[in-house]
Amino acid sequence: MAKSTSILITGAAGFIGYHVATRLLESGSAVVGLDNLNAYYDIGLKEARLALLQKYPRFSFERMDLCDASLGGVFSEHAVSRVIHLAAQAGVRYSLTNPEAYIQSNLVAFSRLLECCRKHAVEHFVYASSSSVYGGNTKVPFSVHDNVDHPVSLYAATKKSNELMAHSYAHLFRLPCTGLRFFTVYGPWGRPDMAAFLFCKAMLEGKPIDLFNEGFMRRDFTYVEDIAEGVARVLDRVPQPDPLWDGANPDSASSTAPYRIYNIGNHEPVELLRFVEILEVILGRKAEKRLLPMQAGDVPETFASVEELARDTGFSPSTPIETGLRKFVEWYRGYYNA
């Protein structure tokens, strides 16, 4: 009897990785989670997510860095057929002071994973890109067909590089690759360095919150379960070469190779001041705001066009910010007994 195959999720103990793994396990898939449990933020939070995943009988876990020489053994041992790559060094501002972390985690590790996918004939490699790749672009909504050659942070540059690296493997080795540009993900089990978590914690503790660009930044906040659903649907849609692709007028979202790029965003930007207002209502307390100028590496607005995602998968994110933030606050208060 042929050995049953597994889906490998890197960064499985992370925020998005946990939700994607849960979504796939609930649907009956066998999932191998891989994570190095680094200390970029509270390891206890990662371990708590992992403990919930380990309750599923079809989940197995490997604590490993993607640069470890034994990575290929995971593919063989678990008969990995598809890969969802979510592990990365996250955060725009952190990249200003710790660039080497991004080179190692987002470029070197990505190349090692691509090689393993090639050598083990993986059916579909799905990886997290970011809305940050749109960089200096000002035309909104951001479209996957837009040129994205002007990143404004090293983090964004590494994500754009991932898209280019994946395309080369799709072209040279016919490895089917799909890149997903996530837009400001939030929700239960979120990262402590992100807005919803930072603001909620500070407001409950009676501390001020920092609003850059004086609170007038707009973000396409996307609820994490919508992200997980989008990833699951894309995973089942293995890209094929685009017969209409034209080298004289190249489209960055597709290729003559088995390669696609999609935005996954709520396609309804929310101003930061409005985001805080909603939190104030949910928490029942006012925020003390510190209005600050724009930070290096930031952009004033993100706004996703998701036409291609909806066309190809029949799904687009739709959770209202009021609903998503209420669910986040419920989780936060329960987890931290706040």
Side-chain angles (χ1 to χ4, degrees):
M1 180 185 296
K3 186 176 180 180
S4 61
T5 61
S6 301
I7 300 166
L8 175 66
I9 300 179
T10 71
F15 170 37
I16 298 174
Y18 161 74
H19 284 278
V20 171
T22 301
R23 164 65 176 79
L24 293 173
L25 289 163
E26 290 286 348
S27 69
S29 298
V31 172
V32 181
L34 190 151
D35 204 296
N36 66 0
L37 299 178
N38 69 29
Y40 174 64
Y41 63 84
D42 179 18
I43 294 177
L45 191 58
K46 299 178 182 182
E47 291 174 337
R49 297 181 191 123
L50 189 56
L52 292 177
L53 292 176
Q54 288 175 322
K55 294 179 180 180
Y56 290 90
R58 293 176 67 81
F59 179 78
S60 55
F61 179 69
E62 299 278 353
R63 182 169 183 173
M64 182 184 295
D65 191 281
L66 287 171
C67 293
D68 287 356
S70 56
L71 179 61
V74 174
F75 282 73
S76 301
E77 180 183 348
H78 296 280
V80 171
S81 61
R82 290 176 288 173
V83 173
I84 301 173
H85 177 47
L86 302 172
Q89 179 57 62
V92 169
R93 291 177 193 137
Y94 189 68
S95 70
L96 302 180
T97 54
N98 295 273
E100 181 60 33
Y102 291 77
I103 301 301
Q104 193 68 21
S105 296
N106 297 5
L107 298 180
V108 177
F110 194 86
S111 69
R112 299 282 176 86
L113 192 57
L114 279 173
E115 267 296 282
C116 284
C117 290
R118 176 180 74 86
K119 291 176 179 176
H120 294 272
V122 162
E123 297 167 4
H124 193 188
F125 176 59
V126 177
Y127 62 95
S129 185
S130 168
S131 62
S132 296
V133 301
Y134 289 103
N137 291 16
T138 56
K139 180 178 73 68
V140 292
F142 295 151
S143 167
V144 292
H145 306 293
D146 294 340
N147 178 283
V148 289
D149 286 340
H150 298 86
V152 296
S153 70
L154 180 63
Y155 170 70
T158 64
K159 288 299 186 177
K160 168 64 174 176
S161 299
N162 289 166
E163 295 179 1
L164 296 172
M165 294 162 75
H167 183 269
S168 69
Y169 271 69
H171 173 74
L172 292 170
F173 308 115
R174 313 316 284 177
L175 171 65
C177 294
T178 301
L180 303 175
R181 294 173 179 169
F182 297 153
F183 281 69
T184 316
V185 189
Y186 75 99
W189 295 101
R191 291 204 331 258
D193 61 331
M194 299 188 75
F197 202 114
L198 287 169
F199 294 171
C200 182
K201 182 176 187 294
M203 289 166 68
L204 287 171
E205 294 175 355
K207 296 178 180 177
I209 61 173
D210 293 338
L211 299 180
F212 296 102
N213 198 29
E214 300 186 341
F216 293 112
M217 286 201 296
R218 288 161 55 86
R219 289 289 180 267
D220 204 344
F221 292 101
T222 310
Y223 189 59
V224 66
E225 289 183 5
D226 285 342
I227 292 284
E229 181 64 26
V231 172
R233 294 207 186 197
V234 166
L235 183 66
D236 288 334
R237 187 179 176 84
V238 180
Q240 302 297 319
D242 182 358
L244 300 179
W245 195 86
D246 180 7
N249 186 27
D251 176 9
S252 60
S254 66
S255 174
T256 55
Y259 172 88
R260 288 293 185 281
I261 296 288
Y262 295 104
N263 286 334
I264 302 188
N266 208 51
H267 50 100
E268 192 170 330
V270 176
E271 193 170 81
L272 213 50
L273 287 168
R274 173 60 183 154
F275 185 87
V276 173
E277 285 177 3
I278 297 167
L279 266 181
E280 288 176 327
V281 171
I282 295 169
L283 292 171
R285 61 186 66 196
K286 298 294 286 183
E288 180 187 344
K289 308 179 189 74
R290 288 194 297 217
L291 305 181
L292 302 171
M294 183 82 83
Q295 286 238 304
D298 264 346
V299 295
E301 180 176 19
T302 64
F303 182 179
S305 168
V306 293
E307 293 177 8
E308 294 74 18
L309 179 72
R311 178 196 67 205
D312 292 349
T313 69
F315 172 79
S316 62
S318 60
T319 301
I321 189 70
E322 294 84 358
T323 302
L325 276 179
R326 190 170 296 280
K327 289 181 178 181
F328 169 76
V329 169
E330 288 172 359
W331 167 80
Y332 185 95
R333 281 185 150 153
Y335 184 77
Y336 290 102
N337 195 27

